Every structure is written in structure tokens, then in C-alpha cells.
Amino acid sequence: MSVAFRRESDEEHLEPKFELPIPRGPNRVTARGLALIDGRLAELADALAQAADEEARKHIQRQQRYWATRKATAELMPVPMGDMVEFGCRVTVSFNGKTRVFDLVGDDEADPARDRIAFTSPIARALMGSEVGDEIDFNGREGAIVVTAIAVIG
């Protein structure tokens, strides 16, 4: 039999497991975001101690590497003043005739379903630096967003 048709082991043909992708750019975090990273690392340490098999351990260790990197690169941002839209602000806007409230947070803390959007998102980038009453062009529409209130995330 030709060597081309032999397998040393079944593991040779498994799909490679790549590291979890790290978002590009700075890793800005709020105090809440930093606490979430610490909490996730603690949960993973507990899960690793209780992992039943090697495959589960590898999966948990992969996640630990991601969160350890996020912790090591975290930049705790100062609390904003609240007079203009910046990282760590809650901004209320009129968007397409509807009132929306967004918290501008870091990538790992973002949860669009709960209106916590990453500072790197298109709408967050459009809002940055604006003040109450400003009309912001967005998505090809002039004055699509009107800033109605700004507060510091509590």
C-alpha cells in the first residue's frame, strides 16, 4: 500500500482550532467592563478545575487565553464629564423619529440588544464629540440623528 493512503492517526484530519479573534484597535473599557473581564476569568478558572475531559479543558483554555489577553491590553478610560458624547456616556438621541438611548462602551462589554454599543461601531463613531442639540449626518442622511441628552454611565 502506498504511503499516500496511510494515516498515522485520526487526529491528523481534524479541523484546526484557531484562537478567538481579538477586535482591532485599542481595548478601551469602562470600570464595569473591566469587572466583567475579571468575572469571566474567574468563571473560566472554576470551569477548568471542574472540566471532565481533555477536549473541554482545551476549549476553556482557549477562552482563558482570549480573556487574559483582553485583561492585559485593557485601557481603563477616565469617567467622562458628560457635556459631550465620549466613551462611557449614555446618549439619548432622536433617530429616524424615534427616541433611542445608547451606552458607548468597549468591544467586550457591547450588547446591542441592550443598547450597549461598542465605541467602534458606525453610529458610536458618528456620535463621538457631539453635544446636546447637535444634528448628525448618518447613513447618507443629513441630520438623521439629533442628540437630546448626554449622561455618564452609572
Side-chain angles (χ1 to χ4, degrees):
M1 178 183 279
S2 170
V3 175
F5 295 103
R6 278 192 8 224
R7 286 198 309 213
E8 293 295 321
S9 73
D10 286 336
E11 298 223 357
E12 288 178 21
H13 300 285
L14 294 177
E15 288 290 323
K17 301 268 193 224
F18 298 103
E19 291 300 313
L20 296 172
I22 302 287
R24 298 183 113 169
N27 181 18
R28 296 181 179 147
V29 296
T30 63
R32 178 183 179 274
L34 191 55
L36 288 172
I37 292 171
D38 288 337
R40 187 69 180 129
L41 283 167
E43 288 172 10
L44 289 167
D46 290 344
L48 186 61
Q50 298 172 9
D53 61 17
E54 188 60 29
E55 191 61 33
R57 291 181 62 76
K58 285 180 182 179
H59 178 73
I60 294 166
Q61 289 170 331
R62 180 176 179 229
Q63 290 183 38
Q64 278 183 317
R65 288 188 299 273
Y66 173 86
W67 289 106
T69 300
R70 298 305 280 168
K71 168 89 176 176
T73 60
E75 298 174 28
L76 181 60
M77 299 300 291
V79 176
M81 299 295 293
D83 55 343
M84 65 188 295
V85 178
E86 330 175 48
F87 183 92
C89 281
R90 175 170 290 143
V91 59
T92 305
V93 299
S94 176
F95 183 53
N96 292 329
K98 297 179 182 175
T99 299
R100 298 285 309 266
V101 179
F102 298 109
D103 290 351
L104 304 183
V105 297
D107 292 310
D108 295 318
E109 191 179 357
D111 184 355
R114 290 193 167 100
D115 292 326
R116 301 181 71 78
I117 60 173
F119 73 100
T120 55
S121 69
I123 195 164
R125 288 194 319 260
L127 290 168
M128 290 290 187
S130 61
E131 298 175 349
V132 173
D134 284 354
E135 294 184 8
I136 293 130
D137 301 340
F138 185 70
N139 211 17
R141 290 188 43 220
E142 290 185 24
I145 303 171
V146 178
V147 178
T148 58
I150 302 168
V152 175
I153 296 173

